[in-house]
Amino acid sequence: MQKYYLLITMLLLTLGVWAQAPAGAPPRGGAMPAMGGMTGHLYGKILDNDGKAIPYASVIILQPKLDPATKKTKDVLVKGALTKVNGEFSLDEIPMGRGLKMRISMTGFKAIERPVTFPPFDKDLGNIKMAADVSQLQGVTVAGSKPLMQLDIDKKVFNVEKNLTSAGGTAVDVMKNVPSVNVDIDGNVSIRNASPQLYIDGRPTTLTLEQIPADAIESVEVITNPSAKYDASGGNAGILNLVLKKNRKTGYNGNLRAGVDKRGAVNGGADFNLRQGKFNISASAMGNQSKSRSTGFTDRNNFGDQTPSHVHQDNKNRTDGGFVFGKLGVDYFMNNRTTLSVAGIKVHGSMKPNEVIDITTDSLFSGTKESYYSQRVSDMKNEFNANGLVLGMKHLFPKEGKELTVDVNYFGGKAENNSLYTTNYLKATEPASMDQQRINGGGKISFLTAQTDYVDPLTKTMKLETGLRFSRRTTDSRSDNYFLDAATGEFKYQDAASIHYKNYDNVYAAYASISDNIGKFGYKVGLRLESSSYDGEILGKSEKFSNSYPASLFPSLFLSQKLNKNQELQLSYTRRINRPNFMQLIPYTDSTDRLNINRGNPDLVPEFTQSLEFSYLKTFDNKATFMATLYYKYTTNLITRYLTKEANPATGDSILINTYINANSSYAAGAEFTATSNITKWWNLSANVNIYNSKINTDIAGASQDALWSWYGKLNNNIKLPLAFELQLSGTYQSKTNLPVNKEQRMDGPPMQQAQNASQGYIKGFYGVDAALKKSFLKNNAASVTFAANDIFRSRINEQYSESTFFNQTYSRLRDPQMFRLTFAYRFGKMDVSLFKRKNMGAGMEGMSGVMQ
């Protein structure tokens, strides 16, 4: 009953704390201070009535402030500049606040005065004409503090920049505190019990979460129902987009950081940014050392028409290594409206997983029990290198909101892995024996993507978005398998257990969408046309595979209705596709792990998913938010794992093979509640509860999955303490839930450590608690020390139960419990524009500077 009490408590937290403003909150309609630390950028061009440029016109930004002496409001200068010879002006780093207005004046012309409104933070005012006897005087602006959660029409944005528990860690640590996102102990991400596509700055990536430093991430976008603008593939759980930090301040600035965890693994990094004139240069270098430890066991009963047996494994894993991550970006501001950018990325890593598995096997022969003991020692080394290059152009038209972007992205990587598995066998009545297996593998992968997007506001409220995209993925992978010949003492190549393949995937896409607001009603309707093809070859065996998926249409519809008292309703529908990957298709039998033999199925077809979501959002006077979402997903031809039994052609024994099939259909339905609140001026929290049900339907025995109700909860507290201390306390709970289907697992560990991923089974419930304490010091709090503790109660145990007509199995694993980190950070820089000969003339490279694929 305890977990149900916990569920009720978290629901009450999300529903009950939003009704009243915190102590010290500004009254409705009261004065609002500047948005802490946030600045905007305005630019445009001043012309006369004949369209000729007006040079040296004065452009200033004013803000009304209360004079304490006279008790009257007067305008105070915030920013100012003179137009250039061509009439252009650019004002950046404008502190955003209420009542800002711009005044333009020039001898011979009447002054122009107009309000300054944010967002957008980067605003093109277009061509402004000055004429005699003409003036404009209006003034309305909206300001507010940066919320923990922002809701767009097709995504949720969570600001994680100040997340303390992830300091010195990786993106895995960040995801643990993002509502709606669940991360297992191996860094596998799921949203609503399915695997999303991972994006970085709006582009797909092959990097894992453990290869991305936490300190590089500004916000996380959770796109559960992507619109026609995004790739139609990956229909299970949408898109998880990591937005990296971008520095847009004039001057030079940067930061340094270093840390260490309880095992002595160090981490560190440095960022530097220089913005002068028409150039912006940014550079980052980061490194993380890893000393990971995990323990676990697997308990399995084999039955059916096999010889009954019981197998028990105890696992101890030690992985040492690390990675370095670097990027360099240059932006060139041709003028106020056109920016060119180039960015490069470099990643290098090396891991040395070592594992010892103690295996006890009890077999029954004619009712007689015989026991066998073996020990498998795995000694491995994995090394990877990745390089990326991004070329981009962004042009902003004088018409506000109209823009054209062109991007060409290349990402390439290669990896080498060498593994030696030594198994010692012992039987009470027989002498010990030993066998050895060696696997030398590696491969290359590259992505080439070219896309262009065009946005045009047709009216003040209606917007057209269109785009084209082409992507090509090239993969070259090999795995050479050797077994020790006891007679010769040499390793012999096993052709049947080795593979070397190449494959090419191409995707062609075009999309268009129109959005508009009619009073309080808004809509966004889109259509995406997408086709794809792949070609593959198993080298040395003259086996080739290819398929072309015809062009398919993927519609999307988003509706929103604003209600009184800051309430909003949203309804969305999308259709998406998930294509089988090459390893799921090729009929190659991978017998590296003798307990988990895998084979592809060339008869697989893509799965199609239709998703429907209905959301309610309420924003309270104290800037607290509450959102409730009902969702339903229906998938046809679901790609899922299936266990079959075949005869081993070499020995004649029966063997079990994991393969893939298309199930008839599946569904997932649930309700999700997300809330953020400033309880007081020193305490804010966010909470997330997801209650869901899922089921797989198929006519094939052993491939169905019974419906199961489950729930997942996450609570995060941020508390400001005296003397510049900050405390963060967060916790998660996952109830018993079905095993995820078609989930991309990270298989960088040794064989025999993963549970059987059958469709029948469940994950047992577990919880975890993290905490962090931060102390800021020096002038302007430029330095800080953070102490973070993860999985304080050693409770994040991944325990799974799976079954089939041939066996049942329990699998348990615990990784890096009670991990402690100490991190030091220092930021530096000057923002005085007088250090430079001329001001930056460019629009901010929103989403472009330092882009990483």
Side-chain angles (χ1 to χ4, degrees):
M1 291 296 292
Q2 184 178 3
K3 63 182 180 181
Y4 297 107
Y5 294 143
L6 180 59
L7 170 61
I8 294 171
T9 300
M10 295 189 75
L11 284 172
L12 290 174
L13 276 171
T14 61
L15 291 170
V17 299
W18 328 112
Q20 62 181 17
R28 185 180 301 179
M32 180 67 68
M35 302 168 70
M38 298 184 67
T39 60
H41 177 209
L42 297 174
Y43 54 94
K45 192 171 185 178
I46 308 299
L47 307 174
D48 61 19
N49 277 335
D50 297 325
K52 295 180 180 180
I54 301 178
Y56 312 116
S58 172
V59 184
I60 60 175
I61 304 298
L62 302 170
Q63 184 177 28
K65 290 190 177 182
L66 184 66
D67 187 337
T70 64
K71 305 298 182 182
K72 295 181 179 180
T73 299
K74 65 178 182 179
D75 289 336
V76 177
L77 177 66
V78 175
K79 207 78 173 181
L82 297 177
T83 59
K84 292 185 172 293
V85 176
N86 61 1
E88 290 186 348
F89 67 91
S90 177
L91 298 169
D92 56 7
E93 297 184 33
I94 302 172
M96 286 182 277
R98 174 161 293 176
L100 290 174
K101 53 188 174 184
M102 179 178 66
R103 182 176 297 162
I104 305 170
S105 59
M106 180 62 183
T107 304
F109 296 89
K110 287 292 185 180
I112 296 176
E113 192 169 300
R114 60 171 55 181
V116 175
T117 59
F118 295 103
F121 303 138
D122 193 273
K123 198 166 187 177
D124 186 350
L125 300 179
N127 296 330
I128 302 173
K129 290 189 175 183
M130 298 186 72
D133 301 322
V134 176
S135 63
Q136 300 176 14
L137 183 58
Q138 301 176 12
V140 178
T141 188
V142 178
S145 59
K146 189 175 183 180
L148 296 174
M149 179 183 72
Q150 297 167 272
L151 182 65
D152 203 346
I153 195 168
D154 57 357
K155 63 187 174 186
K156 291 180 288 186
V157 182
F158 297 97
N159 298 301
V160 298
E161 192 173 6
K162 296 183 180 179
N163 185 34
L164 300 183
T165 58
S166 62
T170 67
V172 173
D173 303 293
V174 173
M175 293 303 113
K176 291 176 182 177
N177 290 308
V178 175
S180 305
V181 179
N182 194 4
V183 185
D184 69 17
I185 61 174
D186 288 312
N188 300 305
V189 178
S190 62
I191 298 176
R192 298 173 182 172
N193 211 35
S195 299
Q197 284 187 302
L198 182 63
Y199 277 37
I200 293 179
D201 279 343
R203 295 169 176 82
T205 180
T206 59
L207 295 177
T208 67
L209 291 173
E210 289 191 338
Q211 296 169 351
I212 304 170
D215 298 314
I217 302 171
E218 178 179 281
S219 63
V220 176
E221 297 177 349
V222 180
I223 310 172
T224 55
N225 214 12
S227 67
K229 180 178 181 179
Y230 300 95
D231 289 344
S233 58
N236 277 338
I239 294 170
L240 191 64
N241 183 36
L242 277 61
V243 180
L244 301 185
K245 294 177 181 177
K246 304 169 184 66
N247 200 325
R248 303 173 58 205
K249 295 181 178 180
T250 302
Y252 72 88
N253 54 89
N255 62 76
L256 304 171
R257 55 195 172 277
V260 63
D261 67 21
K262 72 174 185 179
R263 295 196 180 99
V266 298
N267 66 82
D271 304 302
F272 182 76
N273 192 88
L274 174 64
R275 185 166 179 175
Q276 182 177 7
K278 292 191 173 185
F279 288 92
N280 183 78
I281 301 173
S282 60
S284 296
M286 308 177 191
N288 277 68
Q289 190 179 20
S290 174
K291 295 183 179 182
S292 178
R293 308 290 183 264
S294 65
T295 57
F297 70 86
T298 302
D299 200 83
R300 178 166 170 171
N301 294 302
N302 296 311
F303 44 80
D305 57 357
Q306 306 180 85
T307 301
S309 63
H310 171 257
V311 180
H312 181 84
Q313 298 179 179
D314 288 310
N315 305 58
K316 292 182 179 179
N317 177 276
R318 173 176 179 153
T319 301
D320 294 326
F323 74 93
V324 292
F325 170 100
K327 65 175 181 177
L328 176 65
V330 178
D331 303 317
Y332 173 61
F333 309 112
M334 296 180 63
N335 50 52
N336 273 348
R337 296 179 180 131
T338 303
T339 305
L340 303 179
S341 66
V342 58
I345 178 176
K346 174 70 177 180
V347 182
H348 170 76
S350 178
M351 294 291 178
K352 294 182 178 180
N354 294 278
E355 184 169 46
V356 177
I357 307 177
D358 295 316
I359 308 169
T360 302
T361 304
D362 296 324
S363 300
L364 295 173
F365 296 94
S366 302
T368 302
K369 179 179 178 180
E370 292 195 31
S371 296
Y372 301 84
Y373 171 76
S374 61
Q375 185 181 72
R376 181 176 174 122
V377 180
S378 305
D379 187 7
M380 292 166 285
K381 181 178 180 180
N382 306 323
E383 188 169 326
F384 61 89
N385 290 279
N387 302 282
L389 181 65
V390 178
L391 303 175
M393 185 277 291
K394 185 173 185 178
H395 178 71
L396 306 176
F397 296 87
K399 183 179 180 181
E400 183 177 348
K402 184 177 180 180
E403 63 181 45
L404 173 69
T405 59
V406 179
D407 291 309
V408 178
N409 310 283
Y410 170 80
F411 183 89
K414 63 179 181 179
E416 294 290 333
N417 55 79
N418 299 284
S419 306
L420 177 64
Y421 307 106
T422 302
T423 307
N424 297 292
Y425 300 93
L426 178 65
K427 186 179 177 182
T429 59
E430 298 178 6
S433 60
M434 183 264 291
D435 69 30
Q436 284 188 320
Q437 178 186 11
R438 175 174 290 164
I439 299 178
N440 297 330
K444 300 177 182 178
I445 186 170
S446 65
F447 283 88
L448 177 64
T449 304
Q451 69 181 66
T452 179
D453 299 281
Y454 173 73
V455 180
D456 186 5
L458 303 179
T459 68
K460 288 185 178 180
T461 58
M462 181 179 289
K463 182 170 66 175
L464 170 68
E465 296 179 82
T466 62
L468 299 172
R469 186 176 189 271
F470 165 75
S471 65
R472 180 178 177 85
R473 178 176 60 182
T474 304
T475 305
D476 185 330
S477 179
R478 61 176 174 81
S479 178
D480 297 325
N481 211 323
Y482 302 84
F483 284 94
L484 181 67
D485 187 332
T488 64
E490 297 180 354
F491 284 91
K492 287 190 174 181
Y493 178 72
Q494 305 293 314
D495 183 68
S498 303
I499 187 173
H500 185 186
Y501 71 87
K502 289 185 176 181
N503 74 288
Y504 311 90
D505 294 281
N506 298 316
V507 178
Y508 312 87
Y511 77 91
S513 66
I514 291 182
S515 58
D516 194 8
N517 292 312
I518 305 172
K520 293 185 177 182
F521 173 75
Y523 70 87
K524 183 176 184 178
V525 58
L527 186 65
R528 187 178 185 89
L529 177 68
E530 195 168 285
S531 67
S532 64
S533 64
Y534 79 85
D535 294 281
E537 177 183 6
I538 300 180
L539 302 179
K541 298 185 179 182
S542 300
E543 295 184 48
K544 296 184 178 182
F545 307 90
S546 63
N547 203 342
S548 296
Y549 299 114
S552 299
L553 295 176
F554 300 94
S556 64
L557 175 66
F558 296 83
L559 304 175
S560 67
Q561 177 66 53
K562 295 185 184 298
L563 306 176
N564 295 330
K565 298 182 179 180
N566 295 320
Q567 301 177 91
E568 185 175 350
L569 299 176
Q570 287 190 353
L571 178 68
S572 64
Y573 164 81
T574 63
R575 181 176 186 259
R576 296 175 63 76
I577 188 174
N578 186 35
R579 305 175 183 91
N581 62 47
F582 189 66
M583 286 304 294
Q584 292 174 329
L585 290 167
I586 61 174
Y588 162 70
T589 302
D590 180 4
S591 56
T592 304
D593 182 352
R594 298 174 186 178
L595 283 183
N596 294 312
I597 301 174
N598 295 278
R599 178 190 298 163
N601 177 5
D603 296 323
L604 288 177
V605 298
E607 62 182 48
F608 290 89
T609 299
Q610 299 184 76
S611 300
L612 189 67
E613 289 191 13
F614 176 73
S615 299
Y616 165 79
L617 174 67
K618 167 67 175 176
T619 302
F620 296 86
D621 293 337
N622 61 348
K623 302 304 177 184
T625 60
F626 171 72
M627 183 172 65
T629 301
L630 300 176
Y631 61 89
Y632 178 79
K633 295 190 297 183
Y634 180 78
T635 301
T636 56
N637 296 321
L638 177 79
I639 300 173
T640 184
R641 282 185 177 267
Y642 174 65
L643 194 66
T644 183
K645 185 181 70 171
E646 296 183 7
N648 189 327
T651 64
D653 298 334
S654 295
I655 57 175
L656 299 178
I657 297 177
N658 284 297
T659 186
Y660 301 88
I661 62 169
N662 287 112
N664 292 352
S665 64
S666 71
Y667 76 81
E672 185 174 25
F673 306 92
T674 304
T676 64
S677 177
N678 297 315
I679 302 298
T680 70
K681 60 183 178 181
W682 50 266
W683 176 22
N684 67 68
L685 66 79
S686 63
N688 175 251
V689 175
N690 182 21
I691 306 170
Y692 56 92
N693 179 273
S694 60
K695 183 174 176 24
I696 297 176
N697 302 305
T698 179
D699 297 330
I700 302 176
S704 295
Q705 187 183 76
D706 295 332
L708 176 66
W709 281 101
S710 306
W711 74 278
Y712 172 75
K714 182 176 289 189
L715 184 66
N716 188 50
N717 298 268
N718 293 285
I719 301 171
K720 291 183 179 180
L721 302 174
L723 303 176
F725 278 94
E726 295 178 65
L727 174 67
Q728 182 175 338
L729 182 65
S730 60
T732 59
Y733 178 79
Q734 171 70 67
S735 75
K736 175 182 175 182
T737 184
N738 275 324
L739 285 174
V741 296
N742 195 23
K743 183 175 181 179
E744 296 295 332
Q745 296 280 359
R746 291 182 53 225
M747 297 298 291
D748 55 359
M752 303 176 72
Q753 78 170 19
Q754 296 293 336
Q756 199 85 343
N757 190 6
S759 59
Q760 290 184 316
Y762 56 84
I763 302 173
K764 293 186 179 180
F766 64 91
Y767 73 95
V769 177
D770 305 320
L773 183 66
K774 177 181 178 181
K775 166 63 177 176
S776 300
F777 56 97
L778 296 186
K779 185 178 180 180
N780 297 321
N781 289 328
S784 65
V785 174
T786 303
F787 177 77
N790 298 97
D791 196 12
I792 296 174
F793 300 110
R794 301 176 62 92
S795 54
R796 282 197 177 99
I797 302 174
N798 181 11
E799 189 165 345
Q800 303 178 6
Y801 174 80
S802 57
E803 63 180 16
S804 71
T805 55
F806 309 107
F807 70 90
N808 59 44
Q809 175 176 288
T810 299
Y811 162 82
S812 178
R813 190 154 164 260
L814 178 64
R815 180 183 180 186
D816 293 330
Q818 295 178 329
M819 176 56 68
F820 308 117
R821 288 194 200 92
L822 186 66
T823 305
F824 169 79
Y826 175 73
R827 53 185 172 83
F828 62 89
K830 295 182 180 180
M831 303 303 156
D832 185 357
V833 296
S834 65
L835 292 173
F836 304 93
K837 295 180 180 179
R838 53 181 176 171
K839 292 172 60 66
N840 162 54
M841 292 298 298
M845 275 297 295
E846 186 69 31
M848 298 286 289
S849 174
V851 166
M852 179 179 71
Q853 180 168 348

